[in-house]
Amino acid sequence: IEVSFSPEAVVSTQSTGEKNGLHSNNPQSIPDPCGPLHFKAMLSILLICMFILPLFALEEKLTLKINNSGKFKIVQFTDTHFGTTLQNDYKTQKALELILELEKPDFVVLTGDVLSGDYKTKEKTNWKASSLWKIAVQPMIERDIPWSFVLGNHDAEGDFSKSQLVALDTSYSLSLTKRGPIQINGYTNYHLPVLWNLDNDRSVAMNLWFLDSGDYYCEGVFGYGCVTQSQVEWFKNVSKNQTQPTLMFFHIPPPEMIHLYTQFKTQGILMDEGVCCWPKNTGLFNEILQRSNIRGVFVGHDHSNDFIGFYHNVLLGYGRKSGYGTYGPKGSLPGARVIEVSFSPGVNDNEDGFYINTWIREDGGTIIDDQPIHYPWLGATKFECCKMDDPRKAVDWGILLGFQILFAILSQIIVCSIQLRRDRSSKEPKRLPVLQVQNYV
């Protein structure tokens, strides 16, 4: 529909005698362009342009799709630990910026401990989660790259609770983070589809799953957190009809990370105090191994570990610690794990041709794609999750120590009492024996 309000157009129609649409020989019959009918029509079009069309554009923008090369590249940032010092925060942000510039990913995943919330009470500076979060996500915002995150064990130890952090992150237009169901443990439990980018096919190509591994205590067992059985059951029910290839992300490594390092060939380093995994096996990997579509699981948490390998048919691996705050990575620079998936049916072993290529990109730009190989070590039968001091046991030790001190005091009182009695008895005058005189007749 083309509308013209030019006076010249009215003259030309009068001369040609056209009587189509708004053209007429009778100028009196031409609708008033400033009349109420046209005003309402123009206002409606204006409102549609201002409010409705941008929603379609936003939806299109925030839909993850396989890129034009038939691939999908993810950069995994983990343990950035913003909030230790201003210098560390600056260096970490610059590292993130450089990695994004070099890799140009389709998507970014933050696998926990974005913030060092435990430093709120250690530093005299004005520690604010909202300000630090803005610093953390600014590199993605400036490059128009969508992201999502899962909670780590240190994120909510500052001035924001877990629910507040999720609300804060989801307030950014490029964030794809979701608040998970309230009836299960954790806050960041959700999944995202990645669609085919074809003219005749916009169906789901793959799925990304995100689980909240908590902070401390796993179903009553002290240690680091875990993906609880309620979450495993929820994942089982929601994903049962998903057959597309799937990648999964969470913060704290599962116990199977130990089995991977001791029983399978891996690449990368283990330079932390060990594998600080869940203190209880809640059955997540049993569920994963029963399915053929879950191809990769990626975690963080242990700053100086970045090894990766196939645990049976599932690629299980650490990211590279991305921040300069706190310790690690030992002997390496902070960086990121890059995960690029491609689809080449008939080329790879899998029928769908789904293939994962992964490498480490360090701060400074170096690509680490040929890490040292570690072969299974059959002697590592006692390898277990790293230990933590249970504060509940600390209370028990205190009570026990109190009883020990009380027992020692009572024992000393008894000993002193016995000794005092002996001393008194030794000082009393000795009584001479009474001589019995016998009368002899």
Side-chain angles (χ1 to χ4, degrees):
I1 303 170
E2 185 178 86
V3 182
S4 176
F5 297 109
S6 172
E8 289 78 5
V10 176
V11 175
S12 64
T13 56
Q14 290 175 347
S15 62
T16 56
E18 292 179 29
K19 295 184 179 181
N20 295 321
L22 295 180
H23 301 284
S24 172
N25 284 330
N26 183 7
Q28 299 299 326
S29 66
I30 299 175
D32 183 3
C34 296
L37 181 62
H38 277 74
F39 179 77
K40 290 180 180 179
M42 292 298 105
L43 182 61
S44 299
I45 294 173
L46 180 63
L47 291 174
I48 290 174
C49 293
M50 290 177 61
F51 297 103
I52 306 299
L53 293 180
L55 292 179
F56 286 103
L58 183 62
E59 182 68 24
E60 182 75 13
K61 182 180 180 182
L62 293 183
T63 299
L64 298 178
K65 298 177 184 178
I66 303 298
N67 60 36
N68 295 330
S69 301
K71 299 178 180 181
F72 189 76
K73 182 187 284 190
I74 300 171
V75 163
Q76 177 197 1
F77 290 132
T78 191
D79 297 87
T80 50
H81 281 278
F82 283 97
T84 56
T85 66
L86 294 176
Q87 182 181 9
N88 286 340
D89 292 347
Y90 176 80
K91 291 168 64 178
T92 300
Q93 189 185 53
K94 291 302 178 183
L96 269 55
E97 291 176 351
L98 176 63
I99 292 170
L100 293 179
E101 280 294 322
L102 295 173
E103 292 294 345
K104 295 179 172 52
D106 302 297
F107 189 51
V108 169
V109 178
L110 303 166
T111 50
D113 282 1
V114 178
L115 306 181
S116 267
D118 54 324
Y119 271 73
K120 179 179 184 295
T121 56
K122 297 179 182 178
E123 296 296 311
K124 296 181 180 179
T125 55
N126 192 14
W127 201 101
K128 288 186 178 180
S130 57
S131 301
L132 293 170
W133 203 269
K134 184 177 181 180
I135 297 173
V137 300
Q138 194 65 31
M140 284 81 80
I141 293 175
E142 291 176 352
R143 290 156 185 82
D144 202 31
I145 302 172
W147 76 85
S148 65
F149 96 102
V150 290
L151 284 162
N153 55 299
H154 288 302
D155 287 309
E157 292 177 340
D159 59 340
F160 267 34
S161 66
K162 295 180 180 181
S163 60
Q164 288 176 315
L165 285 175
V166 174
L168 172 64
D169 188 70
T170 55
S171 68
Y172 290 93
S173 60
L174 284 171
S175 170
L176 295 179
T177 303
K178 296 180 180 179
R179 170 64 165 92
I182 60 174
Q183 66 270 23
I184 64 173
N185 290 85
Y187 291 80
T188 48
N189 300 297
Y190 58 100
H191 63 97
L192 299 172
V194 181
L195 308 183
W196 290 107
N197 191 18
L198 303 173
D199 293 337
N200 58 348
D201 188 359
R202 293 295 178 93
S203 61
V204 177
M206 60 180 290
N207 289 294
L208 304 175
W209 274 83
F210 307 87
L211 297 175
D212 191 333
S213 56
D215 41 32
Y216 308 99
Y217 293 97
C218 174
E219 298 185 342
V221 180
F222 182 75
Y224 286 107
C226 65
V227 176
T228 64
Q229 294 180 51
S230 68
Q231 295 167 268
V232 175
E233 192 64 25
W234 171 76
F235 162 71
K236 177 181 177 180
N237 293 332
V238 174
S239 66
K240 60 184 178 181
N241 294 324
Q242 293 180 355
T243 59
Q244 300 87 356
T246 298
L247 301 181
M248 184 178 288
F249 299 88
F250 47 89
H251 181 64
I252 301 174
E256 284 77 9
M257 211 73 179
I258 295 177
H259 306 156
L260 171 68
Y261 194 77
T262 57
Q263 301 173 22
F264 298 85
K265 185 177 76 171
T266 61
Q267 282 188 283
I269 60 172
L270 188 156
M271 296 188 68
D272 218 304
E273 57 183 310
V275 174
C276 294
C277 54
W278 314 345
K280 178 182 178 180
N281 197 325
T282 59
L284 175 63
F285 247 84
N286 290 337
E287 183 62 32
I288 288 174
L289 294 177
Q290 291 179 17
R291 304 165 182 241
S292 60
N293 65 314
I294 301 178
R295 307 295 176 79
V297 177
F298 302 93
V299 299
H301 186 55
D302 295 334
H303 296 183
S304 294
N305 296 347
D306 65 11
F307 65 86
I308 189 169
F310 280 97
Y311 183 74
H312 299 288
N313 293 322
V314 179
L315 186 63
L316 175 59
Y318 282 101
R320 169 66 69 87
K321 180 180 181 287
S322 306
Y324 280 89
T326 73
Y327 77 95
K330 295 178 183 178
S332 305
L333 289 171
R337 177 166 293 283
V338 183
I339 306 157
E340 186 175 61
V341 302
S342 57
F343 295 84
S344 301
V347 175
N348 303 311
D349 294 336
N350 298 320
E351 293 181 1
D352 53 15
F354 185 83
Y355 180 75
I356 301 174
N357 188 22
T358 182
W359 59 91
I360 300 291
R361 174 76 79 166
E362 287 187 333
D363 184 21
T366 304
I367 293 178
I368 310 295
D369 58 356
D370 189 19
Q371 292 183 283
I373 297 176
H374 175 269
Y375 291 96
W377 179 35
L378 298 179
T381 54
K382 296 183 179 180
F383 201 71
E384 57 185 7
C385 292
C386 55
K387 299 295 184 181
M388 295 177 60
D389 294 328
D390 191 340
R392 297 176 301 178
K393 292 183 179 180
V395 174
D396 295 341
W397 277 108
I399 295 174
L400 180 60
L401 180 62
F403 276 116
Q404 288 177 334
I405 294 173
L406 180 61
F407 178 76
I409 293 173
L410 290 175
S411 300
Q412 189 65 30
I413 291 173
I414 294 173
V415 170
C416 290
S417 299
I418 295 173
Q419 187 64 36
L420 185 60
R421 274 188 163 187
R422 288 178 178 175
D423 292 344
R424 285 180 178 177
S425 62
S426 64
K427 291 180 180 179
E428 290 181 356
K430 295 182 179 180
R431 295 180 181 181
L432 295 175
V434 178
L435 295 178
Q436 293 182 355
V437 179
Q438 294 183 353
N439 294 323
Y440 294 95
V441 177

